[in-house]
Amino acid sequence: MPRIHSEAARLIGQRIRRARQDLGISLENLGELAEVNWTSVGKIERGVSSPTTETLIRIATALEVDAGDFLHGITADAYNARHHQLTAREFIEARTHAGRRGL
C-alpha cells in the first residue's frame, strides 16, 4: 500500500472524501466535474498525494465547498519535519534583539 504523503494530506483527503460521499457521487464523477483525473482524486483522498492549489480549488468548486474548508486548522506542523519552528514575527523579534546586543 502506498505511503501517506503527510498528516496534512491525509486530513485534506479525508475532508474531500467526506464532502464527495455526502453528495453521493463517485470518484469518477468528481474527477469529471473537477476536470481532474479520477485516479488523482483517489490518491488525494487516501492522503498519498498532496493536491496543488489549482486541483484543490477545482475539487472544492465541483463539490460546492469553499477550498478553505479543506485547509482549516492545518499548519506547517502537519507536514514533514521542519528545520525550525519560528514564525516571521518570532524571527524579526530575535533579529531585532540580536541587533541590540551588537551581534
Side-chain angles (χ1 to χ4, degrees):
M1 180 167 198
R3 209 168 138 219
I4 300 295
H5 179 273
S6 64
E7 179 62 12
R10 187 190 68 75
L11 289 170
I12 292 166
Q14 185 179 59
R15 292 170 183 177
I16 290 170
R17 176 178 282 139
R18 188 176 313 124
R20 176 180 62 77
Q21 289 175 338
D22 286 349
L23 291 175
I25 62 173
S26 68
L27 279 171
E28 293 86 352
N29 293 147
L30 178 54
E32 185 175 333
L33 293 168
E35 297 180 347
V36 175
N37 187 297
W38 71 269
T39 59
S40 296
V41 176
K43 289 177 184 177
I44 292 166
E45 285 191 0
R46 291 190 310 278
V48 173
S49 176
S50 187
T52 65
T53 303
E54 179 181 353
T55 298
L56 188 67
I57 291 171
R58 286 178 177 274
I59 290 170
T61 300
L63 294 171
E64 297 181 323
V65 173
D66 186 299
D69 292 347
F70 295 139
L71 303 174
H72 181 76
I74 295 175
T75 66
D77 294 331
Y79 287 93
N80 299 329
R82 295 169 56 199
H83 296 289
H84 62 78
Q85 299 294 315
L86 293 176
T87 64
R89 181 186 317 272
E90 292 166 339
F91 176 78
I92 292 166
E93 287 173 2
R95 186 178 63 190
T96 302
H97 181 68
R100 288 187 197 138
R101 291 187 304 170
L103 299 176

